[in-house]
Amino acid sequence: MIPGPSIDVCQGDTIVVDVVNNIEGEELAIHWHGILQRGSQYYDGAPFVTQCPISEQSTFRYQFTTDNAGTHFWHAHTGLQKMDGIFGSLIIRQSQKRDVNSYLYDFDLSRHRILVNDWMHELAISRLPGRFHSTKFQDPDSILINGKGRYQDPESAFITDTDLEVFRVRRNYAYRFRMVNAFCTVCSSILTVENHNLTIIAVDGYPVKPTVVTSIISVSGERYDFVINANNRVDSYWIQLRALEPCNVRGIQQLAVLQYDGAPDTPTSVKPIFILPLSEGIVLNPLDSQCDSPRSDAICVNHLQSAIPVDKDIFTKKPDAQIYLSFSFHRYNLQDLFSPNQFNRFLVAPSHRHTSAVMNDILFSFPPSPLLSQMENIPSNTICNSTHKPDNCDNEDICPCTHIIELPYKGIVELIMVDETNVPDKLYHPFHLHGYNFNIMYVGVSDNRTVNSANEVQKLDEIGSLRRRKALPPFKDTIAVPNNGYVVVRFRADNPGYWLLHCHFIYHLATGMANVFHVGTPSDLPPVPHDFPKCGNYLPYPY
């Protein structure tokens, strides 16, 4: 089934899930996107970071307590399996007394869940490393809403006659909708509901002060909760989802229906078509990223205000650790790419560039054993950071190794992520941090997009041109870094363990755009679960 089974529980409940891997010839791990896993670090689902992946015909039991409420989701975190349909929603509900925005809506129903995903008409692995003579690269063929939709073949114009998703409401009531962006490719998306405003009340599971918009632009891994007031005349209304930059040239869209009780099954208005440029009233997350000051036509995520208290130490002038992380693409020449006795991970990008994805010029490689439970089994010469690289990487432009950054336990960390890709398209890389939420302190991009290196951003900071929020910065766990821009986030590193930070575009993660943060010592962690699976290199004596 697509999407996979929904999990709907209350805050404080314990979830136990047995995952049975019946995929022939493939391993599997499930990540619980948005769950902080405090005290249950071994069940985060990051393969070779927190667990061994589940081998074929094996079962692994995940078990954890749901301490942080909100709209989350689960998905495969091995290979490209999420693109092929292994994902589903995970909703952790609060009581009305705990939900600071509960006064805004009458109903919070499971049938008002919007899970959007991109979809290929073939297995995702067929696009990696890519077909040189194909023009699809890693773009989707279509997009879906709750697994439903219609597809029009661009060559024959044939349209599949399948059902659209229908969301039913009663007039004069207000409804909470929970939207999950489960995209895998580089497309951003925009959601619009005909003749209805959307009141944003939560982002990535964390409440914000109510903010009214007419459209929501989102990228892979983000979640937005909004309220729809069903105060229009009794009718059915179009819900339109469009794939935007850099996929907008394909004109991919999907429709669903908001149906009032007593209204016809099909809207009486003209079916919307994909039209550019956009004219959507007030847009959340504008793609031009001009977010330095409030605007009348758009609201940036850094303009939202947290509706719950923020750690006052987040506003300290000097954090305990300040980390610059740049991400970019490394372009191979074909002679190096296919040199003997080695294998390089790469994808074929537009203009037929053969590239890998790197952070701080390091191509992330997963270790042979989980960092969390088998650190002693990992060869030390495979672990690296910006100041220490393995011997075999000294003379290389990029280094494939397990990139680990140490964070001060319980300290305030400032993370500055900078897009050094120099890609002209409006390509917004979404970065997701496992085990944490963070506060959005600043989102920046220069007027002419010339500030696109970590060194330049650091110079701006040194002269005081990098501003930070002074009050109520919103919480998130996934942040879209503007095209050739940067973001500043802060968090308290109080959740010990090994936590993956990665681009949520699935092909970018597969080709190296990730690193791991290490927090605390083994004594700060719960013990490794009894009989926890082990894996790793097989090197019998003699070597």
Side-chain angles (χ1 to χ4, degrees):
M1 55 192 295
I2 296 177
S6 297
I7 299 175
D8 205 320
V9 300
C10 295
Q11 187 175 15
D13 285 352
T14 296
I15 291 178
V16 180
V17 179
D18 287 354
V19 176
V20 184
N21 180 13
N22 287 327
I23 307 175
E24 185 175 354
E26 294 187 27
E27 297 174 326
L28 174 67
I30 299 295
H31 171 54
W32 313 91
H33 188 116
I35 304 300
L36 301 181
Q37 301 292 1
R38 295 182 184 273
S40 51
Q41 287 89 337
Y42 303 95
Y43 301 106
D44 180 59
F48 299 112
V49 177
T50 60
Q51 71 169 96
C52 300
I54 309 164
S55 58
E56 180 189 355
Q57 301 304 324
S58 296
T59 301
F60 183 88
R61 175 167 293 174
Y62 292 92
Q63 44 194 345
F64 51 89
T65 300
T66 57
D67 52 353
N68 56 307
T71 300
H72 309 302
F73 71 122
W74 59 265
H75 61 81
H77 214 300
T78 31
L80 306 177
Q81 294 160 339
K82 175 173 174 273
M83 182 80 230
D84 295 328
I86 305 182
F87 60 86
S89 61
L90 170 56
I91 309 300
I92 303 172
R93 299 180 183 275
Q94 287 181 310
S95 65
Q96 281 192 325
K97 291 182 179 180
R98 289 187 175 184
D99 181 1
V100 296
N101 287 323
S102 62
Y103 69 95
L104 290 168
Y105 56 89
D106 301 299
F107 297 102
D108 178 10
L109 305 174
S110 59
R111 67 172 180 263
H112 293 145
R113 189 173 305 151
I114 302 177
L115 190 54
V116 303
N117 70 287
D118 40 13
W119 187 242
M120 292 178 176
H121 297 165
E122 57 192 338
L123 291 176
I125 193 63
S126 66
R127 307 278 185 92
L128 188 74
R131 297 177 293 248
F132 189 81
H133 294 291
S134 169
T135 57
K136 290 184 177 180
F137 299 104
Q138 289 79 37
D139 293 348
D141 293 298
S142 59
I143 52 180
L144 303 174
I145 299 175
N146 289 348
K148 296 180 180 179
R150 293 173 183 163
Y151 172 73
Q152 181 171 358
D153 187 280
E155 297 180 0
S156 66
F158 173 78
I159 301 177
T160 57
D161 185 18
T162 50
D163 292 335
L164 299 177
E165 183 72 327
V166 177
F167 301 94
R168 293 180 174 84
V169 296
R170 293 175 60 189
R171 191 173 185 274
N172 293 328
Y173 287 92
Y175 295 84
R176 178 176 186 157
F177 282 72
R178 298 172 180 266
M179 186 185 79
V180 175
N181 186 316
F183 278 33
C184 295
T185 64
V186 297
C187 305
S188 53
S189 70
I190 183 168
L191 182 84
T192 305
V193 181
E194 181 185 18
N195 292 344
H196 289 78
N197 289 329
L198 313 175
T199 303
I200 307 295
I201 61 171
V203 294
D204 291 359
Y206 298 94
V208 295
K209 292 188 176 182
T211 304
V212 178
V213 299
T214 47
S215 297
I216 298 172
I217 293 178
S218 64
V219 292
S220 173
E222 291 189 300
R223 291 93 68 207
Y224 289 97
D225 293 25
F226 55 86
V227 173
I228 290 181
N229 287 291
N231 51 13
N232 283 358
R233 64 182 174 84
V234 173
D235 203 344
S236 290
Y237 298 87
W238 292 111
I239 298 174
Q240 184 182 25
L241 178 73
R242 281 170 284 177
L244 296 184
E245 280 90 350
C247 305
N248 56 302
V249 294
R250 298 190 181 279
I252 301 171
Q253 75 166 17
Q254 195 53 260
L255 301 175
V257 176
L258 181 72
Q259 183 183 34
Y260 282 54
D261 279 357
D265 293 339
T266 304
T268 54
S269 59
V270 176
K271 183 185 298 185
I273 60 174
F274 194 105
I275 298 176
L276 289 176
L278 301 174
S279 178
E280 306 296 342
I282 302 175
V283 178
L284 181 69
N285 299 323
L287 290 180
D288 60 18
S289 293
Q290 297 302 317
C291 300
D292 287 339
S293 58
R295 349 176 351 180
S296 61
D297 64 333
I299 294 172
C300 299
V301 68
N302 57 304
H303 295 155
L304 298 175
Q305 296 185 37
S306 174
I308 57 176
V310 176
D311 186 340
K312 60 181 176 51
D313 292 338
I314 287 292
F315 304 106
T316 183
K317 186 174 182 180
K318 187 175 181 181
D320 298 295
Q322 185 185 55
I323 298 168
Y324 281 86
L325 275 177
S326 63
F327 56 91
S328 58
F329 296 117
H330 173 76
R331 185 171 183 174
Y332 291 99
N333 64 60
L334 294 183
Q335 183 177 358
D336 292 338
L337 183 62
F338 297 110
S339 57
N341 301 318
Q342 69 177 35
F343 177 81
N344 293 290
R345 286 179 287 156
F346 72 97
L347 57 83
V348 179
S351 301
H352 298 108
R353 300 186 304 271
H354 295 72
T355 66
S356 60
V358 296
M359 295 183 68
N360 284 4
D361 295 324
I362 296 173
L363 190 158
F364 183 80
S365 295
F366 286 97
S369 304
L371 296 166
L372 190 62
S373 59
Q374 289 181 250
M375 188 66 185
E376 69 279 2
N377 298 133
I378 300 172
S380 59
N381 65 347
T382 63
I383 294 175
C384 65
N385 55 43
S386 296
T387 59
H388 168 72
K389 295 184 180 180
D391 294 340
N392 61 347
C393 292
D394 285 347
N395 297 319
E396 300 292 333
D397 291 334
I398 61 167
C399 178
C401 51
T402 304
H403 185 184
I404 301 178
I405 297 175
E406 300 286 337
L407 299 183
Y409 186 32
K410 297 185 179 180
I412 299 298
V413 176
E414 180 172 87
L415 178 61
I416 302 173
M417 287 176 279
V418 184
D419 181 355
E420 292 186 352
T421 60
N422 290 314
V423 174
D425 297 325
K426 293 178 180 177
L427 182 57
Y428 286 61
H429 293 256
F431 277 85
H432 172 54
L433 177 58
H434 293 219
Y436 284 94
N437 56 59
F438 42 69
N439 292 108
I440 310 299
M441 307 303 290
Y442 193 68
V443 175
V445 63
S446 64
D447 292 338
N448 55 6
R449 296 183 182 267
T450 57
V451 179
N452 56 5
S453 77
N455 288 336
E456 292 177 72
V457 175
Q458 191 165 2
K459 289 177 182 177
L460 286 177
D461 198 15
E462 291 171 354
I463 62 175
S465 295
L466 220 62
R467 294 182 292 175
R468 274 86 170 172
R469 283 282 291 267
K470 302 297 184 183
L472 300 177
F475 291 88
K476 276 182 122 282
D477 59 44
T478 306
I479 180 66
V481 181
N483 177 240
N484 293 322
Y486 52 93
V487 299
V488 182
V489 304
R490 288 187 175 185
F491 60 95
R492 185 181 291 279
D494 58 357
N495 191 9
Y498 289 88
W499 302 108
L500 193 64
L501 171 75
H502 64 95
C503 180
H504 220 259
F505 294 149
I506 196 167
Y507 291 101
H508 293 182
L509 171 60
T511 52
M513 195 174 283
N515 71 272
V516 168
F517 288 125
H518 178 216
V519 181
T521 65
S523 62
D524 300 315
L525 291 164
V528 179
H530 181 64
D531 288 336
F532 198 68
K534 290 189 174 183
C535 53
N537 291 326
Y538 175 66
L539 294 172
Y541 182 84
Y543 297 102

